[in-house]
Amino acid sequence: MKLLPFPRNCLSVVRVLPALLVLLCLGSVLNAAYQVAAFDQGKGGIIYTYRDTATTGQDPRSWQIWLPPTDKPIRGLLIDGNAGTGNGLGGTLEDSLQAFATKYNFGLMASSGISGSSTYSTHAVKIVEAISQIGTFAKRPELATVPFITHGSSSAGANAYGLAMKYPERTICFTSNVIAGLNPNTPSDAGIKVPGMMVIGEVDNIVNNQQTTRTFMDTVRPRGALWSRIIIQGMGHEHRRVVRLFYVMWEKCLHLRLPADWDPLSGAPVLRPVSEADGWLIDDASALTGFPTVQPANNYTGNKAGKSWYIDETMARLASGYAAYNQYGTFSIEGIHNYPGYNNIPPPESAQSTTIDLIRPGTQLKLVYEPGNKTWKKVRFYKGMELLGERVGGEEPTLTTTLQPDAIIQQFTAVVTDGEDLEHPVIGQTVMMNKGRDAWLSARKFGWYYEGFAPWYYHADLGWIFPSDEAKFGDAGGYYVFYWDASAWYYIYSRWMPWGVDMSKNPAVFVELPITPAP
């Protein structure tokens, strides 16, 4: 172990600095001569950076791919763009995205200097070129043919749509938030069969595409486009409040479209088609009344042409909460962050993720409905479409449940019945469960551990440890851990990790613990 008066660990810097400083911290030198470079993070995966040498210093274009620490062939890429024409490379370091990608053996790709509205006509080919070049450099030939999930906000939302339309045969699905451009205006017959979602902010004063996307949907939905459009009341040009919805979409489409027995080294997969009749529809106009009409597509009673299409009932019900105007109170999970705003409202320091909380199985979740000034008769709490329980007026509108290790993405929400027996869906909450490696669990910055021998735990890096308060083990607050190999107690605080205070020293000192951060 290494003793220092205060933490100056390079890997801790990696998680908070922009991509350029990340690369410098890792000790690699960038210069005008390189086209592909690798930055090995050890157990944290490998980052590859590709620069388009055809661009100039005034118009640089570059891409970055993070690959999980595995020798198994990569099965796909989750591709995010950049805002405006700025630098979005740091997106590959987002811990919840890394956790999602690791679960499905995907890589993460992000960009810098890309104009989303020109992706279809210009940059899509460059993106595929970058993927292929990185695959050759990394000795990962499967990258040349793996499928995509494309995602992004604003200009990156246009990038997600444009890339999906250019390569529909390789795109599992796309999610575009506050989309800044629709190129192409007339998607191909193959393109409209790629499941997609577009989210628009009602009060977006930067990219106001309410009418444009409405007209667009009225054109493509009659052709059978497997797409949805949500206008979120009170939302501006922001991304946090809706990203949790996208994780659900990605997982559902991945399971439905990518064959489980496909070998990435055998060449490109044939993505399974999705039937429009098997999905669910929401009448966007009805959402403005606060009572979204949600019905299965195969027996929808009204005109299906302009209605938003969702891949299944769970996705439609969850989306209906986001789409409903005049929210009838609020739903939350106690201790879980809702991230209601944009970058000017940062998440709590105790949470690594900026989009979705990572929770270990067995955690007790308290679901909370807060009516505010609304009169309610009954509230039903759901996990997906599973009814967990209900409360009636006069009872405490809360329900406690245990997070089960049955899916990496789990969504919870509530439906409220008012005094006139009308039902109001409210915006729900999504969490990510990461059960770890077999019986191993993760506690965010504290790393991987095995709890089968509790109250003693076996930590992947530290060996045998004993927490002073089992209920707080892995929590955001401070607590003591007895480190057997060092024969000493350490005071641990999440904001310090991987540093702890060695209490056996007089005076106590900061000690850098040999911990590998976990998703």
Side-chain angles (χ1 to χ4, degrees):
M1 287 184 296
K2 178 173 150 189
L3 301 181
L4 283 177
F6 56 94
R8 291 187 183 277
N9 180 268
C10 184
L11 286 181
S12 67
V13 177
V14 163
R15 297 190 174 273
V16 295
L17 290 184
L20 179 58
L21 293 182
V22 167
L23 304 181
L24 295 177
C25 176
L26 291 171
S28 296
V29 177
L30 306 184
N31 56 62
Y34 92 90
Q35 186 166 19
V36 183
F39 307 93
D40 193 340
Q41 295 182 294
K43 293 182 180 179
I46 300 179
I47 290 175
Y48 296 92
T49 296
Y50 171 86
R51 188 180 66 186
D52 178 9
T53 54
T55 64
T56 66
Q58 290 74 39
D59 181 31
R61 292 192 295 253
S62 60
W63 289 269
Q64 187 161 287
I65 291 180
W66 171 88
L67 297 181
T70 177
D71 293 328
K72 295 180 181 179
I74 301 301
R75 294 180 61 80
L77 289 173
L78 175 57
I79 301 178
D80 195 356
N82 54 264
T85 54
N87 187 335
L89 300 180
T92 56
L93 302 176
E94 162 60 49
D95 70 326
S96 60
L97 292 180
Q98 287 188 358
F100 182 92
T102 299
K103 172 69 177 180
Y104 295 109
N105 218 34
F106 267 47
L108 302 177
M109 186 177 196
S111 61
S112 176
I114 305 303
S115 170
S117 61
S118 61
T119 293
Y120 181 79
S121 57
T122 304
H123 290 134
V125 174
K126 292 291 184 179
I127 293 170
V128 170
E129 175 187 299
I131 295 171
S132 181
Q133 291 288 336
I134 289 174
T136 300
F137 181 86
K139 296 182 172 55
R140 292 281 194 173
E142 69 271 23
L143 289 182
T145 53
V146 295
F148 315 138
I149 293 174
T150 66
H151 166 69
S153 294
S154 192
S155 177
N159 180 82
Y161 167 72
L163 183 60
M165 295 305 98
K166 188 70 172 182
Y167 298 103
E169 72 284 355
R170 291 185 70 172
T171 307
I172 295 171
C173 65
F174 75 88
T175 51
S176 296
N177 181 46
V178 291
I179 189 168
L182 292 165
N183 182 14
N185 288 318
T186 305
S188 68
D189 290 341
I192 63 174
K193 296 305 180 182
V194 177
M197 181 184 295
M198 297 181 186
V199 174
I200 310 298
E202 180 202 24
V203 292
D204 188 341
N205 62 353
I206 296 177
V207 179
N208 191 333
N209 272 329
Q210 286 194 53
Q211 187 54 52
T212 302
T213 54
R214 177 71 274 158
T215 302
F216 185 63
M217 287 289 288
D218 288 342
T219 301
V220 297
R221 275 291 298 126
R223 293 176 55 199
L226 306 180
W227 299 348
S228 59
R229 167 186 176 270
I230 303 175
I231 302 291
I232 298 186
Q233 186 180 25
M235 190 178 97
H237 198 69
E238 58 185 68
H239 70 280
R240 277 202 185 122
R241 79 177 75 190
V242 74
V243 166
R244 300 183 307 275
L245 191 63
F246 294 152
Y247 280 80
V248 184
M249 171 81 165
W250 302 337
E251 185 172 52
K252 288 182 176 296
C253 290
L254 194 155
H255 283 301
L256 192 61
R257 304 206 65 205
L258 185 60
D261 59 355
W262 167 63
D263 178 3
L265 296 177
S266 67
V270 177
L271 298 176
R272 290 192 289 250
V274 177
S275 170
E276 181 182 11
D278 291 337
W280 282 64
L281 298 178
I282 291 183
D283 179 355
D284 296 341
S286 70
L288 303 181
T289 69
F291 309 99
T293 301
V294 183
Q295 292 181 355
N298 61 357
N299 61 357
Y300 192 81
T301 55
N303 179 10
K304 301 179 183 180
K307 308 304 184 288
S308 285
W309 181 93
Y310 293 89
I311 203 164
D312 64 9
E313 183 181 7
T314 298
M315 195 73 227
R317 298 289 183 188
L318 190 64
S320 69
Y322 284 84
Y325 271 44
N326 302 319
Q327 287 283 304
Y328 208 80
T330 60
F331 170 84
S332 63
I333 303 177
E334 191 173 272
I336 303 300
H337 311 111
N338 276 315
Y339 305 118
Y342 191 52
N343 289 335
N344 59 333
I345 307 178
E349 293 181 1
S350 60
Q352 282 182 275
S353 173
T354 60
T355 55
I356 186 170
D357 277 21
L358 310 179
I359 311 296
R360 65 174 182 164
T363 299
Q364 292 288 306
L365 301 179
K366 185 177 181 180
L367 312 183
V368 179
Y369 169 63
E370 298 178 82
N373 60 356
K374 305 294 186 181
T375 301
W376 63 283
K377 184 176 181 180
K378 180 172 61 178
V379 57
R380 300 196 305 275
F381 294 98
Y382 289 90
K383 173 185 174 183
M385 287 311 300
E386 175 191 355
L387 178 63
L388 298 177
E390 68 178 36
R391 299 290 183 265
V392 296
E395 294 182 321
E396 184 76 17
T398 65
L399 183 144
T400 299
T401 186
T402 301
L403 188 68
Q404 300 295 330
D406 53 358
I408 183 176
I409 305 297
Q410 299 188 26
Q411 57 280 346
F412 300 86
T413 191
V415 176
V416 186
T417 303
D418 66 20
E420 299 179 359
D421 290 328
L422 296 173
E423 294 187 344
H424 302 261
V426 294
I427 294 177
Q429 173 64 288
T430 304
V431 300
M432 179 179 290
M433 194 286 300
N434 211 350
K435 66 180 180 180
R437 307 161 185 172
D438 300 325
W440 291 77
L441 305 174
S442 67
R444 296 180 182 170
K445 301 180 184 179
F446 192 66
W448 294 99
Y449 64 94
Y450 180 76
E451 65 176 1
F453 306 106
W456 283 90
Y457 294 76
Y458 191 81
H459 192 280
D461 303 306
L462 303 179
W464 291 105
I465 57 176
F466 182 92
S468 61
D469 183 349
E470 214 176 325
K472 290 177 66 66
F473 187 50
D475 271 7
Y479 54 97
Y480 293 91
V481 170
F482 185 76
Y483 181 7
W484 178 267
D485 287 351
S487 299
W489 283 92
Y490 288 80
Y491 186 73
I492 305 297
Y493 194 62
S494 68
R495 285 158 58 181
W496 299 341
M497 298 305 296
W499 293 76
V501 178
D502 184 349
M503 305 303 295
S504 68
K505 306 296 182 183
N506 189 12
V509 294
F510 271 116
V511 175
E512 183 186 15
L513 298 168
I515 289 175
T516 302

